[in-house]
Amino acid sequence: MDFLEKLNPAQKQSVTAGEGGILVLAGPGSGKTRVLTQRVAYLIGYLGVRPYQMLAVTFTNKAAREMEHRVQQLLGEEMTRGLLLGTFHSTCARILRRESERLPVSNEFVIFDADDQQKIVKNALKELNLSDKQYRPPLIHAAISRAKNELIEPANYPVVTYQDEAIKRIYEVYQRLLRASNGVDFDDLLLLTTQLLEQHPTVREKYASRFHHVLVDEFQDTNIAQYTLLKHLASAHGNLFVVGDPDQSVYGWRGADYRNVQRFERDFPSAQVILLEQNYRSRQMILDAAMAVIDKAPGRRKKKLFSDRGQGEKITFYEALDDYAEASFVVDTIAQLVASRQFEPGDCAVMYRTNAQSRLLEEAFLAARLPYRLVGAQRFYGRREVKDVIAYLRLVQNPEDEISLERIINVPARGVGEKTLLTLRQAARVAGASTGSALMDLARGSNSPYWGNFTGRAALALADFGIHLANWRSLLATATVPELFDQVLKDAKYLESLDDGTEEGKDRLDNVKELRRLAEEYATRTLAEFLENVALVADQDTITEGNVPTLLTMHAAKGLEFGVVFITGLDDGVIPHSRSFDSREQMEEERRLFYVGITRAKERLYLLRAMRRGGRGYAEETIESRFLEDIPVEFLQGRGRAGRSSRTFHRSMSQTWSSAPAAPAAPPPVPASQQYRPGMRVKHALWAEGIVIESRLQDGEEIVEIAFASVGTKRVMASLAKLEILTH
């Protein structure tokens, strides 16, 4: 067991620290999982602590399995037998089943999943005669979940507004229905275990005495219930070892509270605080930029991240004319990095703030015929809400489209069940008509020959939808695609069905808005052309495993690393997101999210923004992200399409407004010589042969526009593209 010799001084200090409270503030890429697992191995292998006297908890089953595997590699399976290592929820479920005689459920309790929880909320609303339109189940459940994470029971739910009073009543019924089914939800696992230890001293002493050492991974992501639980479990011996980094706390919307780090220092005043500052992942330039961003966050303990991997290249900043050009730059740059054999495709990651931003990136990869992998979400055209809207528009274009009709006839719910739809389909078939035409005929009410096939309620629901469908069809000849798009969603009340007040609901709205931006580009074209374009994109399955670039949100990137990282959408309102503008805490979480994105990069980092965003013909001017201002200009290289760095532009504007003397303008770059001219045949390593359309100088670089037979027109930087001239 010579693993201690391979640790750096701070890691070794953490692993071999004595007893009591120990707080390890682990910077990104500093080996925190290694420290935690080797702490377990040290306690067992060096100090002789029995495995069953230890509890190690983390947040995901994957992380727990990884920790267990690493410990077994160090000590062997025999020496680790009896070690309790798992997630918070699995650990709590085990305790609750053993102590069920003290609980409001038996030891055979069932754990209701997310769908079950939504159904119980809906049942509670029905019992209280409350409208699920006014009290949307996802939003109500989110409020109940927050209360449980803060150890607030229904009787103590704070009431300030009438809605609070309603949520309190729903919460009471929700819990009663859960218990009547001998069930618990995920939050109950934490709440009931914490209450069990608080209310039954003998049980608390039993577990606190058993666990001589309690170890926690990703401590910055714990909520109040989890922190209180940990204190109870460590109450006998006081040996609580926590590893985390409040600078990487980005899950506040899930209940995570980074202030638990401050609470730990307050509750364990004699605790050792150890900083892991050596980074094994990134070049120093990337770390310097990350620190420049996070050091602006108030009230934090500063870390000085350092790397022995060298300074590395400056960070590339690129300001595109619009979001299409932003996506093209990403794909073209990845293609050039791969063609020049500087990196493998799988080394590259493209990150963004919201899932809706993936659409243009996915389409740019499609246009270049390059495969990619999408992490943490369905591809844009595979998302439920996007498919719903497209189905509506397909039905307007073609009422005989049975598949689209079946998808949206009851979305949002309008009282048309499977039996009613089957009856409509059979009646239309008997009459030799399409289901869509029968539906529109029902708009005539009792004059329709189909009317008698249905109960009054079902007939009215079908007739109402038939009226809308007929009206939408009548607009085809006069309305533009975006106008029709808006009218359909308005009449169907589809947006209201998505806007349930939750973060997920807001993301779904963003996806529909992104599709609406695409529709705006077809303002002078037909609905058929719009649907054809969408179909051609949607039908190509480009999500590939293996050695391909990765597309993902910055939230999904936490814990990952890549050789090359592109962070897109660095505009105010995107990152930081506009929803954070009114909250200082949310704004600081956005800052931490940007920090997380930066620190995923190992070798190169690209920061991108668009001067206009929102689609061709509908684009709006943007303002660069305020977080960019925190990165010193000397850390950056590259210029925008406007011929200057927007960072320099903003600073010159600030000087103008403050009437401060302006700094002398930088001399223009020395022009490069042009090697390419129109008509030349050239060869690219990835896209094969093409013909030069245009060549021009920009910021000291030769920009060449080439028509390739394989992928169409591409614009490349001559210095990176490594073009071979075939004919002059």
Side-chain angles (χ1 to χ4, degrees), residues 327-339 344-345 348 350 360-374 540-545 547-551 684-688 710-711 714:
S328 294
F329 176 86
V330 169
V331 174
D332 290 350
T333 303
I334 290 176
Q336 292 164 16
L337 291 173
V338 172
E344 291 291 313
C348 304
V350 189
L360 292 182
L361 290 162
E362 291 182 71
E363 292 185 2
F365 274 97
L366 275 172
R369 299 183 186 178
L370 295 177
Y372 63 93
R373 181 168 65 104
L374 194 67
Q540 298 184 58
D541 186 2
T542 58
I543 304 174
T544 310
E545 297 296 327
N547 187 18
V548 296
T550 300
L551 277 61
H684 186 275
L686 189 64
W687 299 322
S710 60
V711 294
K714 287 290 174 184

Side-chain angles (χ1 to χ4, degrees), residues 115-133:
D115 289 340
D116 296 328
Q117 293 164 31
Q118 293 287 331
K119 290 176 183 176
I120 296 174
V121 171
K122 291 177 182 177
N123 290 340
L125 290 169
K126 288 179 182 178
E127 183 172 321
L128 293 168
N129 291 317
L130 295 174
S131 168
D132 61 2
K133 300 291 190 295

